[in-house]
PDB file of all heavy atoms in Angstrom:
ATOM      1  N   LEU A 133     -31.923 -18.716  -2.353  1.00 90.00           N
ATOM      2  CA  LEU A 133     -31.680 -17.405  -1.921  1.00 90.00           C
ATOM      3  C   LEU A 133     -31.137 -17.400  -0.491  1.00 90.00           C
ATOM      4  O   LEU A 133     -30.179 -16.583  -0.167  1.00 90.00           O
ATOM      5  CB  LEU A 133     -33.008 -16.577  -1.981  1.00 90.00           C
ATOM      6  CG  LEU A 133     -32.946 -15.186  -1.429  1.00 90.00           C
ATOM      7  CD1 LEU A 133     -31.961 -14.332  -2.296  1.00 90.00           C
ATOM      8  CD2 LEU A 133     -34.286 -14.466  -1.591  1.00 90.00           C
ATOM      9  N   ALA A 134     -31.560 -18.203   0.422  1.00 90.00           N
ATOM     10  CA  ALA A 134     -30.981 -18.329   1.643  1.00 90.00           C
ATOM     11  C   ALA A 134     -29.579 -18.740   1.706  1.00 90.00           C
ATOM     12  O   ALA A 134     -28.771 -18.208   2.367  1.00 90.00           O
ATOM     13  CB  ALA A 134     -31.839 -19.300   2.590  1.00 90.00           C
ATOM     14  N   PHE A 135     -29.197 -19.642   0.765  1.00 91.00           N
ATOM     15  CA  PHE A 135     -27.768 -20.059   0.663  1.00 91.00           C
ATOM     16  C   PHE A 135     -26.951 -18.925   0.220  1.00 91.00           C
ATOM     17  O   PHE A 135     -25.750 -18.710   0.660  1.00 91.00           O
ATOM     18  CB  PHE A 135     -27.669 -21.287  -0.257  1.00 91.00           C
ATOM     19  CG  PHE A 135     -26.329 -21.701  -0.695  1.00 91.00           C
ATOM     20  CD1 PHE A 135     -25.543 -22.384   0.211  1.00 91.00           C
ATOM     21  CD2 PHE A 135     -25.820 -21.288  -1.875  1.00 91.00           C
ATOM     22  CE1 PHE A 135     -24.212 -22.729  -0.048  1.00 91.00           C
ATOM     23  CE2 PHE A 135     -24.441 -21.621  -2.186  1.00 91.00           C
ATOM     24  CZ  PHE A 135     -23.670 -22.287  -1.290  1.00 91.00           C
ATOM     25  N   VAL A 136     -27.470 -18.207  -0.775  1.00 90.00           N
ATOM     26  CA  VAL A 136     -26.673 -17.040  -1.385  1.00 90.00           C
ATOM     27  C   VAL A 136     -26.361 -16.049  -0.281  1.00 90.00           C
ATOM     28  O   VAL A 136     -25.179 -15.488  -0.116  1.00 90.00           O
ATOM     29  CB  VAL A 136     -27.399 -16.406  -2.564  1.00 90.00           C
ATOM     30  CG1 VAL A 136     -26.775 -15.021  -2.888  1.00 90.00           C
ATOM     31  CG2 VAL A 136     -27.409 -17.317  -3.727  1.00 90.00           C
ATOM     32  N   LEU A 137     -27.425 -15.700   0.560  1.00 91.00           N
ATOM     33  CA  LEU A 137     -27.146 -14.748   1.554  1.00 91.00           C
ATOM     34  C   LEU A 137     -26.226 -15.263   2.738  1.00 91.00           C
ATOM     35  O   LEU A 137     -25.448 -14.534   3.119  1.00 91.00           O
ATOM     36  CB  LEU A 137     -28.527 -14.387   2.286  1.00 91.00           C
ATOM     37  CG  LEU A 137     -29.464 -13.537   1.509  1.00 91.00           C
ATOM     38  CD1 LEU A 137     -30.824 -13.248   2.215  1.00 91.00           C
ATOM     39  CD2 LEU A 137     -28.832 -12.129   1.246  1.00 91.00           C
ATOM     40  N   ILE A 138     -26.343 -16.499   3.012  1.00 90.00           N
ATOM     41  CA  ILE A 138     -25.518 -17.076   4.126  1.00 90.00           C
ATOM     42  C   ILE A 138     -24.016 -17.148   3.612  1.00 90.00           C
ATOM     43  O   ILE A 138     -23.055 -16.862   4.295  1.00 90.00           O
ATOM     44  CB  ILE A 138     -26.007 -18.480   4.508  1.00 90.00           C
ATOM     45  CG1 ILE A 138     -27.325 -18.436   5.238  1.00 90.00           C
ATOM     46  CG2 ILE A 138     -24.967 -19.107   5.392  1.00 90.00           C
ATOM     47  CD1 ILE A 138     -27.935 -19.672   5.542  1.00 90.00           C
ATOM     48  N   ALA A 139     -23.849 -17.462   2.247  1.00 92.00           N
ATOM     49  CA  ALA A 139     -22.548 -17.541   1.744  1.00 92.00           C
ATOM     50  C   ALA A 139     -21.864 -16.220   1.568  1.00 92.00           C
ATOM     51  O   ALA A 139     -20.576 -16.086   1.457  1.00 92.00           O
ATOM     52  CB  ALA A 139     -22.514 -18.227   0.403  1.00 92.00           C
ATOM     53  N   THR A 140     -22.615 -15.143   1.330  1.00 92.00           N
ATOM     54  CA  THR A 140     -22.077 -13.800   1.149  1.00 92.00           C
ATOM     55  C   THR A 140     -21.993 -12.985   2.381  1.00 92.00           C
ATOM     56  O   THR A 140     -20.952 -12.450   2.778  1.00 92.00           O
ATOM     57  CB  THR A 140     -22.965 -13.070   0.128  1.00 92.00           C
ATOM     58  OG1 THR A 140     -24.279 -13.066   0.521  1.00 92.00           O
ATOM     59  CG2 THR A 140     -22.726 -13.673  -1.272  1.00 92.00           C
ATOM     60  N   ILE A 141     -23.122 -12.842   3.170  1.00 90.00           N
ATOM     61  CA  ILE A 141     -23.252 -11.993   4.394  1.00 90.00           C
ATOM     62  C   ILE A 141     -23.578 -12.726   5.588  1.00 90.00           C
ATOM     63  O   ILE A 141     -24.062 -12.170   6.594  1.00 90.00           O
ATOM     64  CB  ILE A 141     -24.101 -10.734   4.130  1.00 90.00           C
ATOM     65  CG1 ILE A 141     -25.524 -11.213   3.883  1.00 90.00           C
ATOM     66  CG2 ILE A 141     -23.696  -9.892   3.030  1.00 90.00           C
ATOM     67  CD1 ILE A 141     -26.602 -10.128   3.837  1.00 90.00           C
ATOM     68  N   GLY A 142     -23.271 -14.131   5.554  1.00 87.00           N
ATOM     69  CA  GLY A 142     -23.642 -14.813   6.822  1.00 87.00           C
ATOM     70  C   GLY A 142     -22.475 -14.592   7.766  1.00 87.00           C
ATOM     71  O   GLY A 142     -21.522 -13.788   7.523  1.00 87.00           O
ATOM     72  N   THR A 143     -22.551 -15.217   8.895  1.00 87.00           N
ATOM     73  CA  THR A 143     -21.591 -15.000   9.899  1.00 87.00           C
ATOM     74  C   THR A 143     -20.133 -15.352   9.474  1.00 87.00           C
ATOM     75  O   THR A 143     -19.148 -14.860   9.973  1.00 87.00           O
ATOM     76  CB  THR A 143     -21.989 -15.865  11.200  1.00 87.00           C
ATOM     77  OG1 THR A 143     -22.102 -17.265  10.789  1.00 87.00           O
ATOM     78  CG2 THR A 143     -23.147 -15.382  11.876  1.00 87.00           C
ATOM     79  N   GLN A 144     -20.064 -16.321   8.568  1.00 87.00           N
ATOM     80  CA  GLN A 144     -18.751 -16.664   7.985  1.00 87.00           C
ATOM     81  C   GLN A 144     -18.721 -16.390   6.468  1.00 87.00           C
ATOM     82  O   GLN A 144     -17.977 -17.145   5.806  1.00 87.00           O
ATOM     83  CB  GLN A 144     -18.382 -18.109   8.272  1.00 87.00           C
ATOM     84  CG  GLN A 144     -18.247 -18.408   9.876  1.00 87.00           C
ATOM     85  CD  GLN A 144     -17.063 -17.567  10.471  1.00 87.00           C
ATOM     86  OE1 GLN A 144     -16.050 -17.371   9.755  1.00 87.00           O
ATOM     87  NE2 GLN A 144     -17.268 -17.160  11.639  1.00 87.00           N
ATOM     88  N   GLY A 145     -19.615 -15.516   5.961  1.00 89.00           N
ATOM     89  CA  GLY A 145     -19.708 -15.261   4.536  1.00 89.00           C
ATOM     90  C   GLY A 145     -18.552 -14.522   3.978  1.00 89.00           C
ATOM     91  O   GLY A 145     -17.659 -13.971   4.781  1.00 89.00           O
ATOM     92  N   VAL A 146     -18.490 -14.551   2.641  1.00 92.00           N
ATOM     93  CA  VAL A 146     -17.350 -13.921   1.971  1.00 92.00           C
ATOM     94  C   VAL A 146     -17.175 -12.402   2.255  1.00 92.00           C
ATOM     95  O   VAL A 146     -16.129 -11.905   2.586  1.00 92.00           O
ATOM     96  CB  VAL A 146     -17.408 -14.154   0.378  1.00 92.00           C
ATOM     97  CG1 VAL A 146     -16.308 -13.535  -0.296  1.00 92.00           C
ATOM     98  CG2 VAL A 146     -17.379 -15.673   0.172  1.00 92.00           C
ATOM     99  N   VAL A 147     -18.374 -11.678   2.061  1.00 92.00           N
ATOM    100  CA  VAL A 147     -18.299 -10.337   2.401  1.00 92.00           C
ATOM    101  C   VAL A 147     -18.151  -9.941   3.829  1.00 92.00           C
ATOM    102  O   VAL A 147     -17.385  -9.014   4.155  1.00 92.00           O
ATOM    103  CB  VAL A 147     -19.681  -9.637   1.898  1.00 92.00           C
ATOM    104  CG1 VAL A 147     -19.735  -8.233   2.219  1.00 92.00           C
ATOM    105  CG2 VAL A 147     -19.872  -9.914   0.355  1.00 92.00           C
ATOM    106  N   THR A 148     -18.619 -10.888   4.673  1.00 91.00           N
ATOM    107  CA  THR A 148     -18.452 -10.642   6.157  1.00 91.00           C
ATOM    108  C   THR A 148     -16.950 -10.776   6.502  1.00 91.00           C
ATOM    109  O   THR A 148     -16.348  -9.946   7.257  1.00 91.00           O
ATOM    110  CB  THR A 148     -19.182 -11.645   6.943  1.00 91.00           C
ATOM    111  OG1 THR A 148     -20.655 -11.574   6.575  1.00 91.00           O
ATOM    112  CG2 THR A 148     -19.169 -11.353   8.386  1.00 91.00           C
ATOM    113  N   ARG A 149     -16.220 -11.796   5.953  1.00 91.00           N
ATOM    114  CA  ARG A 149     -14.761 -11.971   6.217  1.00 91.00           C
ATOM    115  C   ARG A 149     -14.031 -10.776   5.660  1.00 91.00           C
ATOM    116  O   ARG A 149     -13.082 -10.380   6.231  1.00 91.00           O
ATOM    117  CB  ARG A 149     -14.427 -13.265   5.691  1.00 91.00           C
ATOM    118  CG  ARG A 149     -15.125 -14.477   6.302  1.00 91.00           C
ATOM    119  CD  ARG A 149     -14.958 -14.543   7.786  1.00 91.00           C
ATOM    120  NE  ARG A 149     -13.521 -14.510   8.293  1.00 91.00           N
ATOM    121  CZ  ARG A 149     -13.226 -14.475   9.390  1.00 91.00           C
ATOM    122  NH1 ARG A 149     -13.975 -14.314  10.392  1.00 91.00           N
ATOM    123  NH2 ARG A 149     -11.794 -14.509   9.750  1.00 91.00           N
ATOM    124  N   LEU A 150     -14.357 -10.349   4.478  1.00 93.00           N
ATOM    125  CA  LEU A 150     -13.586  -9.235   3.791  1.00 93.00           C
ATOM    126  C   LEU A 150     -13.732  -7.956   4.658  1.00 93.00           C
ATOM    127  O   LEU A 150     -12.742  -7.273   4.878  1.00 93.00           O
ATOM    128  CB  LEU A 150     -14.124  -9.003   2.403  1.00 93.00           C
ATOM    129  CG  LEU A 150     -13.655 -10.086   1.288  1.00 93.00           C
ATOM    130  CD1 LEU A 150     -14.338  -9.779   0.006  1.00 93.00           C
ATOM    131  CD2 LEU A 150     -12.197 -10.042   1.247  1.00 93.00           C
ATOM    132  N   LEU A 151     -14.934  -7.658   5.114  1.00 91.00           N
ATOM    133  CA  LEU A 151     -15.181  -6.458   5.923  1.00 91.00           C
ATOM    134  C   LEU A 151     -14.372  -6.498   7.168  1.00 91.00           C
ATOM    135  O   LEU A 151     -13.888  -5.560   7.783  1.00 91.00           O
ATOM    136  CB  LEU A 151     -16.656  -6.208   6.179  1.00 91.00           C
ATOM    137  CG  LEU A 151     -17.435  -5.915   4.965  1.00 91.00           C
ATOM    138  CD1 LEU A 151     -19.015  -5.845   5.284  1.00 91.00           C
ATOM    139  CD2 LEU A 151     -17.038  -4.564   4.265  1.00 91.00           C
ATOM    140  N   SER A 152     -14.297  -7.769   7.701  1.00 90.00           N
ATOM    141  CA  SER A 152     -13.569  -7.940   9.011  1.00 90.00           C
ATOM    142  C   SER A 152     -12.151  -7.858   8.856  1.00 90.00           C
ATOM    143  O   SER A 152     -11.347  -7.224   9.649  1.00 90.00           O
ATOM    144  CB  SER A 152     -14.000  -9.237   9.690  1.00 90.00           C
ATOM    145  OG  SER A 152     -13.269  -9.517  10.921  1.00 90.00           O
ATOM    146  N   ASP A 153     -11.540  -8.492   7.748  1.00 89.00           N
ATOM    147  CA  ASP A 153     -10.121  -8.583   7.674  1.00 89.00           C
ATOM    148  C   ASP A 153      -9.611  -7.261   7.134  1.00 89.00           C
ATOM    149  O   ASP A 153      -8.529  -6.858   7.481  1.00 89.00           O
ATOM    150  CB  ASP A 153      -9.771  -9.725   6.629  1.00 89.00           C
ATOM    151  CG  ASP A 153     -10.155 -11.043   7.167  1.00 89.00           C
ATOM    152  OD1 ASP A 153     -10.297 -11.147   8.428  1.00 89.00           O
ATOM    153  OD2 ASP A 153     -10.306 -11.987   6.423  1.00 89.00           O
ATOM    154  N   LEU A 154     -10.281  -6.609   6.210  1.00 89.00           N
ATOM    155  CA  LEU A 154      -9.811  -5.380   5.573  1.00 89.00           C
ATOM    156  C   LEU A 154     -10.031  -4.148   6.375  1.00 89.00           C
ATOM    157  O   LEU A 154      -9.243  -3.187   6.452  1.00 89.00           O
ATOM    158  CB  LEU A 154     -10.274  -5.165   4.155  1.00 89.00           C
ATOM    159  CG  LEU A 154      -9.868  -6.298   3.189  1.00 89.00           C
ATOM    160  CD1 LEU A 154     -10.587  -5.997   1.802  1.00 89.00           C
ATOM    161  CD2 LEU A 154      -8.420  -6.426   2.951  1.00 89.00           C
ATOM    162  N   PHE A 155     -11.273  -4.002   6.946  1.00 89.00           N
ATOM    163  CA  PHE A 155     -11.619  -2.812   7.632  1.00 89.00           C
ATOM    164  C   PHE A 155     -11.843  -2.986   9.142  1.00 89.00           C
ATOM    165  O   PHE A 155     -12.232  -1.965   9.803  1.00 89.00           O
ATOM    166  CB  PHE A 155     -12.870  -2.187   6.959  1.00 89.00           C
ATOM    167  CG  PHE A 155     -12.728  -1.939   5.531  1.00 89.00           C
ATOM    168  CD1 PHE A 155     -13.270  -2.869   4.599  1.00 89.00           C
ATOM    169  CD2 PHE A 155     -12.100  -0.921   5.057  1.00 89.00           C
ATOM    170  CE1 PHE A 155     -13.175  -2.676   3.249  1.00 89.00           C
ATOM    171  CE2 PHE A 155     -11.957  -0.768   3.651  1.00 89.00           C
ATOM    172  CZ  PHE A 155     -12.394  -1.592   2.752  1.00 89.00           C
ATOM    173  N   GLY A 156     -11.846  -4.205   9.540  1.00 86.00           N
ATOM    174  CA  GLY A 156     -12.261  -4.440  11.029  1.00 86.00           C
ATOM    175  C   GLY A 156     -13.495  -4.208  11.378  1.00 86.00           C
ATOM    176  O   GLY A 156     -13.949  -3.977  12.564  1.00 86.00           O
TER     177      GLY A 156
END
């Protein structure tokens, strides 16, 4: 579960990067 969270909403996670690149 920790790996899933880090990979999705971690500091370099997929969702984190998408929110930063698309919406700033």
Side-chain angles (χ1 to χ4, degrees):
L133 179 55
F135 172 77
V136 169
L137 285 176
I138 294 173
T140 53
I141 60 173
T143 53
Q144 298 298 323
V146 176
V147 176
T148 304
R149 299 302 303 173
L150 286 176
L151 293 176
S152 176
D153 296 340
L154 297 179
F155 305 101

